Amino acid sequence: ADGGERVIPITDFLVDFFTNSLQPGEMVTEIRIPKYTGRAGGAYLKLERKIGDYATVGVATHLQLDGSGAISEAGLGLTAVYQHNLKVTEAEQMMIGQQPSDELFAEAGAIAARTCEPEDNVRGPADYKRAVVAEYTKRAFATALAQANGGQ
């Protein structure tokens, strides 16, 4: 029976590794990605042992600025430092309405480092990975800001 169409936000669609919220008989027919009309930018930084290797640490950022240059939307996602990909909503929400700055980006990095739970393994100790998360968060937001301001 045709159950019609439903729209699932990405935060509800992704459940766990290789697991999503689709029901039997459902399939993805469309992915909607918002188109930003204002000043926006983003960056992805990945620490890897060699090109093409799995990430030791991965940090993805996104910023959108309003007319006054304040942050109207912020995105921060981490990979390889938690049991699943991690959206750092505490840092995202803290940044909204703020003027972008190195200090703000460092604060977001500190929140990200505190929120993630990396493992000690052959790719490095957990404390090292937390330090990389903090630094990459700061760098990636700075890159996103440069893009939002018209640079590369």
Side-chain angles (χ1 to χ4, degrees):
D2 180 16
E5 176 184 302
R6 70 181 178 127
V7 177
I8 308 169
I10 191 69
T11 49
D12 296 333
F13 180 75
L14 301 173
V15 175
D16 204 345
F17 284 118
F18 307 112
T19 308
N20 60 50
S21 62
L22 291 180
Q23 299 299 312
E26 290 184 322
M27 62 185 265
V28 174
T29 59
E30 181 178 63
I31 298 174
R32 299 176 186 171
I33 300 170
K35 182 177 181 183
Y36 297 101
T37 55
R39 294 160 53 200
Y44 175 68
L45 296 179
K46 175 182 173 183
L47 178 66
E48 56 195 348
R49 292 184 296 181
K50 63 182 189 299
I51 300 298
D53 195 10
Y54 288 107
T56 300
V57 173
V59 176
T61 61
H62 169 79
L63 284 178
Q64 184 166 347
L65 306 180
D66 66 18
S68 72
I71 297 168
S72 59
E73 189 175 308
L76 175 56
L78 308 178
T79 190
V81 290
Y82 201 73
Q83 62 259 31
H84 53 75
N85 293 340
L86 179 65
K87 185 171 168 60
V88 189
T89 52
E90 181 186 348
E92 295 171 342
Q93 292 168 355
M94 175 276 299
M95 296 174 74
I96 294 179
Q98 305 275 359
Q99 286 294 325
S101 68
D102 290 341
E103 294 76 19
L104 184 70
F105 299 157
E107 187 178 345
I111 292 170
R114 180 173 79 231
T115 305
C116 70
E117 297 175 359
E119 296 179 359
D120 291 308
N121 59 26
V122 297
R123 290 187 163 88
D127 287 347
Y128 168 69
K129 294 174 186 177
R130 284 184 194 278
V132 173
V133 165
E135 180 62 26
Y136 275 21
T137 297
K138 194 169 75 172
R139 290 184 194 179
F141 273 125
T143 300
L145 177 63
Q147 287 179 4
N149 286 328
Q152 293 300 318

